[in-house]
C-alpha cells in the first residue's frame, strides 16, 4: 500500500502513443507523465486485447512531470485487434487509458 499526503489534488496522468495503429512486428512508442507533478508517481501499465490480458506487455514505471518513454513491442505472433493500454497511478488509483489497433 502507498499513502500520499498532498496539499492539492494531483493532476490526471497523460498517456499518449506515437501512432493509433501498428502492424505485427512493429514497436509502438508512448509517453506517460503527470502534468505539474511535484514528485514521482508509480504506475502499473497493463495491456488487454478484448477479454485477453496481454501480461507480456505489462510493466511498471516511475513518472513525474516530464514524459517518460514507454515501449510497446508487438510480436509477429501477438493477437490482432483493439488493444487497451492502461496506466494506473498507484498513489491515487487514477486510471488513464488509450487504444491501439494491431493489424
Amino acid at each position: 500500500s502507498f499513502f500520499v499526503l498532498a496539499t492539492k489534488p494531483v493532476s490526471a496522468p497523460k498517456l499518449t502513443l506515437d501512432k493509433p495503429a501498428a502492424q505485427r512486428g512493429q514497436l509502438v512508442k508512448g509517453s506517460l507523465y503527470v502534468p505539474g507533478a511535484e514528485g514521482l508517481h508509480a504506475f502499473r501499465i497493463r495491456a488487454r486485447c478484448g477479454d485477453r490480458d496481454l501480461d507480456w506487455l505489462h510493466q511498471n514505471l516511475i513518472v513525474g512531470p516530464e514524459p517518460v518513454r514507454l515501449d510497446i513491442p508487438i510480436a509477429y505472433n501477438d493477437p490482432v485487434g483493439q488493444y487497451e493500454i492502461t496506466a494506473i497511478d498507484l498513489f491515487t488509483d487514477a486510471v488513464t487509458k488509450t487504444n491501439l489497433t494491431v493489424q
Side-chain angles (χ1 to χ4, degrees), residues 6 21 23-24 27-28 32 34-35 38 40 51 57 60 65-66 69-70 72 79 88 92 95 98 100 102:
Q23 300 289 324
R24 289 173 164 177
L27 176 68
V28 176
L32 178 65
V34 180
E38 294 179 11
L40 299 176
D51 63 351
L57 295 176
N60 298 313
E66 299 298 320
R69 184 174 162 182
L70 161 71
I72 303 169
I88 304 159
T92 66
V95 176
T98 191
L100 170 68
V102 175

Side-chain angles (χ1 to χ4, degrees), residues 6-49:
T7 59
K8 60 183 179 180
V10 178
S11 298
K14 303 290 183 190
L15 174 63
T16 60
L17 301 177
D18 67 339
K19 51 189 159 193
Q23 300 289 324
R24 289 173 164 177
Q26 291 184 328
L27 176 68
V28 176
K29 296 177 185 177
S31 69
L32 178 65
Y33 68 101
V34 180
E38 294 179 11
L40 299 176
H41 294 247
F43 281 89
R44 183 177 324 143
I45 308 299
R46 298 295 180 253
R48 295 184 63 80
C49 182

